[in-house]
Amino acid sequence: MPDIHPTAFVAEGARLADDVVVGAFCAIGPHVEIGAGSVLRSHVAVDGRTTIGEGAQIFPFASIGHQPQDLKYRGEPSRLVIGRNALIRENVTINPGTEGGAMVTEIGDDCALLAGAHVAHDCRIGNNVILVNNVMVAGHVTIGDFAILGGGSAAHQYVRIGAHAFLGGLAGLENDLIPFGMAIGNRAHLAGLNLVGLKRRGFERDGIHALRRAFKELFAEAGVLKARAAEVAAAHPDDELVQEVTAFITAGGDRAICTPRSGEARAA
């Protein structure tokens, strides 16, 4: 049976694995499901149609699965799905989806949401993503695997952030950030590639060099970005990293692509 503190409230209908620990003054709603090995430290509130995978560590005053901050929300039975081994620190807020989106907010495996981070409705976050303290992710944002958002940064609604990208602390991101890209500043601009992240993740030197060449080809020339992306993709048909970046650009989204300031692409 789950280890539930006497001061905690677990509604009838909630499904908790046998070894889940629910600390003091937690509140868990009737449609919540929490996987094996998860620990809710204290004062954690989980509600809505929320599923949390095994191995979650959730710290005090996190608010998970409550009604989204969307004034068009009308009580539709939307969901929140959080993967395995989530680290959710103090005062984190995560909202479920809405009828205006996919009806679900999804967070992948092995993600870390540090103190004060917010994930709004209808977001899709990949695996191994880190949201540092006080990150603000607006509705309908997509974040790829291994991306890192620095402390106090913000992502505009409908923005796409590619895999292995890095958004600097206090940056305000209004446009899509390419895979492996690094954006800084307010408003954020593309400042090069996330070379530190690429090296830490064990990408080979040749692949990184090819990516740097492609970056300069994409952003150092005049013309239409999507047309350049097609040319770069054709020039590097066997390079998976380059193909991932060019596919991200040509796929497009609701926002423009975050680009370098004048002259910075040549120095990347």
Side-chain angles (χ1 to χ4, degrees), residues 21 64 76 137 147 149 155 166 178 203-204 208-209 211 249:
V21 176
I64 301 171
E76 55 265 30
V137 179
L149 278 62
F166 179 82
I178 60 170
F203 286 94
E204 294 183 358
I208 294 174
H209 286 329
L211 196 57
I249 293 171

Side-chain angles (χ1 to χ4, degrees), residues 141-160:
V141 168
T142 300
I143 303 177
D145 296 347
F146 292 100
I148 299 175
L149 278 62
S153 61
H156 191 285
Q157 61 183 359
Y158 293 101
V159 154
R160 297 178 302 145

Side-chain angles (χ1 to χ4, degrees), residues 5 7-8 21-27 39-45 58-62 90:
H5 192 277
T7 62
V21 176
V22 180
F25 301 104
C26 292
V39 177
L40 285 62
R41 299 300 177 95
S42 73
H43 299 85
V44 174
I58 309 178
F59 284 72
F61 302 105
E90 296 82 356

Side-chain angles (χ1 to χ4, degrees), residues 155-223:
H156 191 285
Q157 61 183 359
Y158 293 101
V159 154
R160 297 178 302 145
I161 299 175
H164 300 275
F166 179 82
L167 180 62
L170 302 178
L173 183 66
E174 296 178 302
N175 298 317
D176 293 347
L177 177 55
I178 60 170
F180 315 106
M182 177 176 66
I184 60 175
N186 184 18
R187 299 297 196 202
H189 65 279
L190 188 62
L193 294 170
N194 181 17
L195 297 176
V196 172
L198 286 163
K199 293 172 183 176
R200 286 177 176 172
R201 297 261 68 84
F203 286 94
E204 294 183 358
R205 180 185 296 270
D206 289 346
I208 294 174
H209 286 329
L211 196 57
R212 294 183 71 177
R213 289 193 297 271
F215 183 93
K216 293 177 181 179
E217 293 167 5
L218 282 166
F219 296 108
E221 302 296 335

Side-chain angles (χ1 to χ4, degrees), residues 49 62 70 121 184 188 208:
R49 291 167 173 80
D70 184 341
H121 56 90
I184 60 175
I208 294 174

